[in-house]
Amino acid sequence: MKKACLYCGAIHDKGHLCDKKPVYKHFSGGNVRRADKFRGSYDWKMKREHILKRDKYLCVACLNDLKGSDKKYCSENLSVHHIIPLETNYELRLSDDNLITLCEKHHEMAEKGEILADKLIEIIPPEV
């Protein structure tokens, strides 16, 4: 579905973020980042649920016995991790090949670079 852009006058796909759109400030004074806005979107909530289902609500790193695994089947404190961060490549924000379910411990390790992106991409479960 397409719609007219209020900021540049062009016709964009629904959900397109126009470069001409001004950046507003939160009432706390910080800049609203595109990635932060995305994380509250309906599209992200639906994609997140899809990835959790694909990964059977389990930490994929624990299933593959990566460094830091305490147990094989971890289903607590899960999050869906962007392997290539939104800030690096926003276009991959909804790509199944860039998303993986991780427990809190493995998510933190991945964010710090202790688990390499290549390894995470390698263990992404196939679609069933």
Side-chain angles (χ1 to χ4, degrees), residues 19-36:
D19 295 330
K20 303 277 186 200
K21 183 176 179 179
V23 177
Y24 296 101
K25 300 207 181 254
H26 279 293
F27 57 87
S28 63
N31 285 332
V32 175
R33 293 182 12 218
R34 187 165 63 163
D36 291 337

Side-chain angles (χ1 to χ4, degrees), residues 65-101:
D65 200 30
L66 293 188
K67 176 176 68 174
S69 298
D70 295 328
K71 54 186 174 181
K72 180 84 170 170
Y73 301 105
C74 181
S75 60
E76 300 167 3
N77 299 318
L78 299 176
S79 59
V80 175
H81 174 66
H82 285 89
I83 298 169
I84 307 300
L86 294 172
E87 293 81 4
T88 303
N89 189 339
Y90 189 75
E91 299 305 313
L92 295 176
R93 68 191 177 279
L94 295 173
S95 172
D96 288 1
D97 296 333
N98 188 46
L99 297 168
I100 191 167
T101 303

